[in-house]
């Protein structure tokens, strides 16, 4: 039963990747662009809320949900910037790419970034096309650091919901 479900899910990811012409290289490019667009979208949302409620930036940032959203957006921006600068380093080996995408998938689903989660799943699936090799220490550190910040934000989200 598990093997059938895994094969169906793998086929679904294959169809999605083929439909939008994604391979490991293009997936990481699109993922970095998405990570850059998230902070812009959050800024626009906050700006619209400020205009609609006629509040100041200071009052808006005192709201816990907005503060956590800004932290998440900042982490996404820094991760996207890292990917744009060091894309080839992440794509160098299967272990680098898969480790980075696994951490991203877990942490992004926790904070509710579903588009990033789907892109990370496609990235994990497309990692099979990369060569094997040693995992790079900087990719490991960046993956774990960004993931831990997002997991901490998930904890804040849980505390706000209590």
């Amino acid at each position: 039963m598990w093997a059938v479900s895994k094969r169906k899910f793998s086929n679904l990811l294959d169809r999605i990747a083929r439909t939008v012409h994604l391979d490991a290289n293009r997936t990481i490019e699109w993922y970095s662009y998405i990570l850059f667009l998230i902070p812009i979208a959050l800024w626009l949302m906050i700006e619209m809320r400020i205009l609609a409620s006629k509040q100041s930036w200071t009052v808006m940032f005192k709201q816990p949900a907005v503060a956590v959203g800004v932290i998440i957006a900042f982490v996404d921006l820094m991760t996207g910037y890292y990917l744009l600068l060091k894309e080839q380093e992440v794509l160098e080996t299967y272990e680098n790419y898969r480790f980075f995408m696994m951490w991203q998938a877990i942490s992004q689903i926790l904070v509710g970034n579903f588009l990033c989660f789907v892109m990370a799943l496609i990235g994990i699936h497309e990692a099979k096309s990369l060569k094997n090799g040693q995992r790079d220490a900087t990719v490991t550190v960046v993956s774990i650091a960004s993931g831990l910040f997002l997991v901490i934000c998930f904890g804040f989200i849980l505390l706000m919901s209590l």
Side-chain angles (χ1 to χ4, degrees), residues 3-13 15:
V4 172
S5 297
K6 185 177 176 184
R7 189 174 51 236
K8 284 184 179 182
F9 186 69
S10 179
N11 289 340
L12 173 69
L13 289 177
R15 279 186 298 199

Side-chain angles (χ1 to χ4, degrees), residues 1 14 22 31 36 59 67 84 107 118-119 123 134 138 147 154 161:
M1 181 71 172
D14 274 337
L22 290 177
Y31 191 73
F36 262 121
V59 173
L84 286 178
S107 59
V118 171
M119 289 296 291
Q134 222 33 23
T138 56
F154 173 68
S161 67

Side-chain angles (χ1 to χ4, degrees), residues 91-144:
L91 285 168
E92 192 173 320
T93 65
Y94 170 82
E95 286 78 13
N96 278 349
Y97 190 76
R98 186 170 168 87
F99 185 79
F100 180 81
M101 286 303 202
M102 288 292 279
W103 266 94
Q104 287 297 304
I106 292 167
S107 59
Q108 294 291 349
I109 193 66
L110 287 176
V111 295
N113 289 341
F114 297 112
L115 181 60
C116 289
F117 173 69
V118 171
M119 289 296 291
L121 284 181
I122 292 171
I124 292 167
H125 185 70
E126 292 298 317
K128 64 184 178 243
S129 65
L130 299 173
K131 64 180 171 120
N132 287 332
Q134 222 33 23
R135 190 166 66 220
D136 191 12
T138 56
V139 173
T140 303
V141 168
V142 169
S143 301
I144 292 173

